[in-house]
Amino acid sequence: MTHVHLSRLLVTAALLIPMACDRGDEPKVGLPPVRGADGSDAPKVPGPPPRPEQGPAVSQAGASVAGRYVATALPKHSADLSPRMSGTITAVMAEEGERVKKGQQLFRLDARASRLGIAQAEAALQGATIQRDNAQRELERQQRLAQSGTISAAVLERAEASFTTASNGIEQAEVMLSMARRNSGDSTVASPIDGVVTKKLKNVGETVTMMPPTVVMIVQDQSVIELRARIPESALKTIREGQTITAHFSALELARSATVVRIQPTVDATTRTIEIVADVANADNLLRPGMYVEVELAPPAAEAVVADAAAPAPASKAPVASAKRKQPASAEDKL
């Protein structure tokens, strides 16, 4: 019985295998499905690339159209001090950062050569004076002889020429003496303006020359800061000399009013910009030349309001018109 039952099971299994294959239960072998980048079965069609974000509009001058323009901060006055003679520095009377007054001595050169020049010029003047006195006495003697008729006119003329030459020699010696004294005074250099010493480029013992000039110190007047900015030519319709604008110093987080003192007469044909110059008060000495600064022009709307306020208001005509409209109505009421 056992062998018969086992045989039936084998025959039944053999019959079921072809039937399962015919129903298509087995998966068909083919190409793998195409999946999208996000793992989904259906691929997605890529759309147009996103447009880059647009920043604020920028003008040709490199500043935003909103009304701020990058400016250059400069001292109101600046002086590069050089010696008026060649020599060696013997003394420096001011240091960097020190405030100085106009006429204050800042450095001095070795003046020994100048003193020798003064002594030489004084000796030359004395010699010319002696020659002039001798020529004068000789001329007076020849004049007396000429009056008595003992000498000719030619001798008298030679005496007069000698006296004239000696007198000219005195004038030349006086000029040389003045030049020597001036050279001695040129050994000391003073500040031409009130300001602060921003740079000291030479020290005691160094040799400096007059030609080419050697810059020893730089003095700047920083009580007023000068701002120079280039603005588009289209801003000329809103900017005027004497107008008040705003200067923003980002390093100090500070904003100050500035006054436009000059508008350059020409427009740059390449960039279509024009330079304006404005002054900012710096009494507290917080501002420094060379700082990053932006100037903001007055908006045109503010100027329009000012213009409308200055113009005569037409409101006086409104009551007249309304009165005229009310006259017929009052007549009908009477009827």
Side-chain angles (χ1 to χ4, degrees), residues 84-244:
R84 291 172 290 182
M85 59 177 290
S86 300
T88 303
I89 299 177
T90 58
V92 177
M93 288 82 81
E95 298 295 333
E96 290 184 354
E98 182 177 345
R99 304 194 69 84
V100 296
K101 296 292 185 180
K102 181 178 180 180
Q104 179 179 339
Q105 295 184 358
L106 300 182
F107 62 92
R108 183 172 57 248
L109 275 62
D110 188 1
R112 287 179 294 180
S114 300
R115 289 193 291 268
L116 292 176
I118 292 176
Q120 183 179 4
E122 290 176 347
L125 179 59
Q126 292 178 0
T129 302
I130 293 174
Q131 292 181 1
R132 192 274 312 272
D133 294 341
N134 293 334
Q136 184 176 3
R137 287 193 293 269
E138 180 65 18
L139 176 60
E140 292 174 353
R141 189 175 69 85
Q142 294 298 336
Q143 287 176 347
R144 289 193 297 270
L145 293 176
Q147 291 177 357
S148 61
T150 56
I151 60 172
S152 62
V155 176
L156 180 60
E157 290 178 357
R158 285 196 297 268
E160 291 176 349
S162 298
F163 175 75
T164 303
T165 302
S167 300
N168 294 336
I170 289 181
E171 294 179 359
Q172 294 178 1
E174 289 176 347
V175 172
M176 295 301 295
L177 179 59
S178 298
M179 292 181 62
R181 289 174 176 173
R182 179 179 178 179
N183 291 336
S184 179
D186 290 345
S187 61
T188 302
V189 178
S191 175
I193 59 175
D194 295 340
V196 60
V197 179
T198 58
K199 286 187 179 180
K200 186 185 73 171
L201 304 176
K202 297 296 180 180
N203 297 309
V204 175
E206 295 189 67
T207 301
V208 294
T209 58
M210 180 180 63
M211 291 300 297
T214 302
V215 179
V216 179
M217 284 186 180
I218 299 178
V219 179
Q220 294 180 350
D221 179 10
Q222 300 181 1
S223 60
V224 176
I225 299 297
E226 183 179 270
L227 305 179
R228 290 178 175 265
R230 301 201 69 87
I231 63 175
E233 61 180 357
S234 58
L236 288 174
K237 59 187 177 183
T238 60
I239 193 73
R240 297 290 184 271
E241 292 184 359
Q243 179 177 334
T244 300

Side-chain angles (χ1 to χ4, degrees), residues 24-66:
D25 295 339
E26 291 184 358
K28 296 182 179 180
V29 180
L31 295 176
V34 180
R35 298 181 180 273
D38 55 353
S40 61
D41 293 338
K44 294 184 178 181
V45 179
R51 298 180 61 186
E53 295 183 359
Q54 299 292 334
V58 177
S59 66
Q60 297 176 351
S64 63
V65 181

